[in-house]
Amino acid sequence: MNTTAAPESHATEHGLSTAGYVRIALILAAITGLEVSTYYVDFGRLFLPALLIMMVIKFVMVVSYFMHLKFDNKVFSWLFYTGLILAVGVYCAALATFKFFG
Amino acid sequence: MWFTLDNLATAHDTHEGAAHSSTGLSNVKLGMWLFLGTECLLFGGLISTYMLYRGRVGTGPRPSQVFDIPFTSVSSFVLLMSSLTMVLAVSAAHKRDDRSTNLWLVITALLGATFVGGQVYEFTAFYNEGMGFSTSLFSSSFFVLTGFHGVHVTVGIIMLLALRGMLKNNKVPGSRAETVEMIGLYWHFVDIVWIIIFTLIYLIPA
Amino acid sequence: MANIENFATPSSAMGALKRPVVTKGWREWVFTVDHKKLGIMYMATAMFFFVVGGLEAVLIRLQLALPNGKILNADLYNQMFTMHATTMVFLFVMPMAAGFANYFIPLQIGARDVAFPRINAFGFWALLFGGLFINLSWFLGGAADGGWFMYAPNSGPIFSPSHGVDFWALGLQIAGIASLTGAINLIVTILNMRAPGMKLMRMPIFTWMILVVQFLLAFAVPVITVALFLLSFQRNFGATFFDVAAGADPLLWQHLFWIFGHPEVYILILPSFGIISEVLPVFSRKPLFGYPFVVFSGAAIGFVGWGVWAHHMFASGLGPVSVAVFSISTMAIAVPTGVKIVNWTLTLWGGKLWFTTAMKFAIGLIVLFTIGGLSGVTHSVAPSDTQQTDTYYIVAHFHYVLFGGAVLGLFSGFYYWWPKMFGKMLNEKLGTWNFWFMVIGMNLTFGPMHILGLQGQPRRMYQWTENRAGEGFFNLAFWNLIASIGSLVLVVGVFLFLVNIFITARSGKVAPLDPWGARSLEWMTSNPPKEHNFDSIPTVHHLDEFFHRKYAEDANGQMQQIATAEEVLKQLEDNADAHIHMPSPSYWPIVIAFGLPVTCLGVIYSIPLAIFGGLIILMGAFGWALEPSTAPDTDFDPPSSSNTSKDVVHVG
Ligand code: HEM
Ligand SMILES: [Cu+2]
């Protein structure tokens, strides 16, 4: 679907085409719709895991496609995800000492 | 893992502005990704503070009493779409299509401004419902977290508009496409933080 | 920087937005973006704060020398130990390490400057203004007094009604911005600007340790940023984040502080580990023993350092599971530290030891840090820590690691690199006196504190009385007096160093090119290095490249000299690059940095002032963005500021 790629430019070689970006945005919009629907429809026991999974999917999609991390050099992923994982790790541990998770 | 760094200089994706670096990667981009990594710890701390305190409302309103999910859903959607327009600006910049770059930058800024406007409206509404900054631990931690995010969006808007002005007057030092891309990275980051805030703070009740 | 030709540069520079080009007088320093000048400025600033923090320490010890001390009242005493620690940690050790890193990282990796020279300048000015801002509180109603980790409720308005804590929180915020920008800058520099052939495993150990430290900073500073913001919102805008009466959890502060605080202790010590890992091989005449182990144990310390923070909170009622987990992780972290000590010892083993002052300080570090490390292990055991916590035993422990470790390492670095930075040799005889006074003083000061602490003397106690002094060997009066005398011996030691600087500047011996027979790239430059460091960027084939250019194995496997340092340097000069691009000076780093304390003053006293400060920052940011990336050569006075005949151009 790389119809709009400019022939002389190497810049798009590791990105998506405009249509590709729009498609990602549509998926993101659909997930958001699903997320919001949990407010109206009772998801029962699935409520929490479903919301968290959708959040992670959206997060990863924006990072991978809109921020090009999927196509870019691994070093960038490494730097960013180090910060992210460290943050999740230390803050969850701290919250756990407050008995936040149960 | 780091040791793959040594062999990167020959990697295919030599950007402009990276011609002579040891990794073949651009300084600015490395710095930007690292900065975003550090921002995870900043927002993580604020989110955790909110999580710890969201149930501590004292005599003030509880989250579910003030949150207006339909309204916030719309503004979240607006911010999400601004990521699309931003990525289109970046891709136009890579194609050296100045007109489209300008256009998408302005639209992105407008969407961002809509989001910030929504936040101002939301804060005012909360205040009128008896939830001031110091009403409760919940309210303070909510305002600090979302306020910080709002400041990030506002800084982004200023950068977008400044960038557009500088592009027009041919005053961007360095590589133009890369500058647009960097501001794009920042902008998307602010968006993904909101993706988390929207779920953890708004959709999952205390 | 060298690739500037690719960039679309702005065609015109509107008057005010020119680059500053005067390279003489004070402007040479104020607008500079040269990593070497900034390194020197960092170090001078840090030295100034070392003296300030040292005088504060002496006042503390004078107060405690005799029973019922009258020199300080209780309130001033609290301010004194809080500011002593804040100054020593944030305004002396950290900036001093930043100074060394700034000066030597580009040289050690064979680069001409850092990745972001203007951000580098900004970081220095932010640090300076942040430090001055914190100390401004002395003159505006009193300094912070809640202890350096500023626990609630001591940080709240009831126990700390003056603006001291506000100045403290906001000033550290400014210093934090400096650390964060500095960290990003140095990491990118190390990853991206290494000379050809300088693989990661060929980097000098100092560079490696600084890389680890900058990662720690990059990820730890944002955590304390959050804590400080919450504190400022509580004190200045009515929030109650740490106020138990309002239902808050004061432990939240403790967690945020120590998630930052434990990595911070490695931030303080690892640069010194890096320094002595350079010094020991040079003065043992053999390569560092187990280079990969030193690298990986450094990285391991950086990694495990994130999982131990709650050992600072054993006495806070964390619960048995948390205490057990953090107790074990803490014992584990002693292992990579032990690995380093073994490596250093084996570096010395069988070497041709040359006891210069730098070497003495390095060996001093190994011995004294080990003592501090061992007492540290005793409080990784939670029940024993419960006995020790908040006593002078803790004070003894962390001064052995901070003074005996971090500070001695920095002094080793001064003596080792002084000839490189200033082209003159510090006086070795005076250096020896300097060393012995400091080492004896430090043991007299902090050694007795072990005894005092085990006897139960609490830390942060502003007076002690005769009737609690005890008898015989455990007499508190005796050991308190010794500790105070020791602190005066220390003062003499540090004073001798300042004298040494002074004498060296006036009449010191001019340094030969390679005074120590060094091994790494920073010595492959003139003393002091030229503005652009290297006439031609060397291609690196070995760890210890400089050494391998001077020596090679002969047929019998013996190292033989094949070239002198002068010859090595000459070869670089003969192949000098024709066009060398150096970053131009800039007005804006200092302008933006100046906006920060103005904004913070406004937060404390009046919001319009804060807005004004914000406008300064915004204006500075636009000035920064619009500044032409090159100052035309003809703007310069003298036209080309290079001290060679090469064509050095200022760009970027
Ligand atoms: C110049 C020699 C020094 C002397 C004589 C000295 C003396 C002292 C004394 C007596 C205390 C305890 C005060 C009390 O608990 O009442 C103290 C606290 C402290 N010192 Fe030092 N010190 C020196 C250098 C340093 C250095 C170089 C550092 C760090 C790099 C440092 C960091 C600290 C810290 C973190 C505290 C704890 C303050 C608190 O309880 O909040 N000191 N110092
Ligand atoms: Cu610790």
Side-chain angles (χ1 to χ4, degrees), chain C residues 57 77 84-85 88 93 147-148 392 398-399 402 459-460 490:
Chain C
Y77 186 86
H84 158 66
M88 286 299 190
V93 176
W148 86 284
Y392 256 85
F398 64 66
H399 282 93
L402 289 175
R459 77 193 269 199
R460 300 177 174 172
L490 256 182

Side-chain angles (χ1 to χ4, degrees), chain C residues 134-299:
Chain C
I134 301 177
N135 279 284
L136 205 57
S137 58
W138 286 113
F139 310 102
L140 295 172
D145 54 3
W148 86 284
F149 39 73
M150 209 56 74
Y151 281 178
N154 281 339
S155 60
I158 298 174
F159 292 98
S160 199
S162 79
H163 280 308
V165 177
D166 300 325
F167 277 96
W168 182 86
L170 294 164
L172 286 188
Q173 205 75 282
I174 300 175
I177 296 174
S179 293
L180 188 68
T181 53
I184 293 178
N185 200 350
L186 285 173
I187 292 173
V188 175
T189 304
I190 295 174
L191 293 187
N192 241 7
M193 301 186 61
R194 284 166 285 144
M198 166 91 45
K199 297 189 171 160
L200 289 170
M201 289 311 271
R202 286 180 190 161
M203 296 195 313
I205 285 284
F206 177 70
T207 298
W208 257 113
M209 291 305 111
I210 291 295
L211 182 65
V212 173
V213 165
Q214 303 309 317
F215 269 106
L216 288 173
L217 272 174
F219 294 127
V221 166
V223 185
I224 194 171
T225 302
V226 172
L228 293 171
F229 265 122
L230 297 180
L231 181 60
S232 289
F233 276 113
Q234 165 154 341
R235 291 188 53 102
N236 302 101
F237 300 109
T240 55
F241 291 115
F242 311 115
D243 182 357
V244 187
D249 250 312
L251 285 194
L252 175 63
W253 169 272
Q254 299 196 15
H255 277 293
L256 292 175
F257 188 89
W258 290 114
I259 291 174
F260 154 80
H262 192 85
E264 167 73 15
V265 305
Y266 293 112
I267 292 166
L268 296 174
I269 192 67
L270 286 179
S272 290
F273 282 6
I275 291 173
I276 72 156
S277 303
E278 302 285 325
V279 168
L280 291 170
V282 167
F283 297 112
S284 305
R285 299 272 164 257
K286 60 199 264 270
L288 183 66
F289 183 88
Y291 168 90
F293 286 96
V294 181
V295 169
F296 285 118
S297 63

Side-chain angles (χ1 to χ4, degrees), chain A residues 1 7 15 23 29 33 43 48 51 54 56 60 63 69 75 94:
Chain A
M1 284 307 283
R23 216 175 18 240
F43 274 54
L48 196 60
L51 271 180
M54 288 191 285
V56 172
V60 172
V63 175
L69 211 46
V75 178

Side-chain angles (χ1 to χ4, degrees), chain C residues 506-520:
Chain C
R506 301 252 333 234
S507 56
K509 181 170 136 233
V510 172
L513 188 59
D514 182 20
W516 313 124
R519 314 176 71 86
S520 42

Side-chain angles (χ1 to χ4, degrees), chain B residues 2-3 5-6 16-28 30-31 34-35 37-38 41-42 45-46 49 52-53 56 133-134 136-137 140-141 144 148 158 162 166 170-176, chain C residues 2-3 6-8 10 12 14 115-116 180 184 187-188 191-194 199-201 208 215 218-219 222-223 225-226 229-230 233 237-241 246-249 252 296 618 622 625-627 629:
Chain B
W2 281 110
F3 304 93
L5 273 173
D6 287 333
E16 325 173 57
H20 295 288
S21 77
S22 338
T23 57
L25 306 171
S26 127
N27 283 347
V28 192
L30 263 183
L34 183 60
F35 170 70
T38 72
L41 282 121
L42 184 91
L46 296 171
T49 304
L52 186 61
Y53 286 155
R56 308 194 189 178
F133 178 72
S134 53
S136 64
L137 283 166
S140 314
S141 49
V144 169
F148 250 83
I158 295 175
M166 286 164 66
N170 199 21
K171 281 223 168 289
V172 179
S175 148
R176 302 158 61 111
Chain C
N3 45 318
N6 302 341
F7 291 171
S12 71
M14 305 177 276
F116 308 110
L180 188 68
I184 293 178
I187 292 173
V188 175
L191 293 187
N192 241 7
M193 301 186 61
R194 284 166 285 144
K199 297 189 171 160
L200 289 170
M201 289 311 271
W208 257 113
F215 269 106
F219 294 127
V223 185
T225 302
V226 172
F229 265 122
L230 297 180
F233 276 113
F237 300 109
T240 55
F241 291 115
D249 250 312
L252 175 63
F296 285 118
L618 194 64
F622 274 98
L626 291 172
E627 195 169 51
S629 50

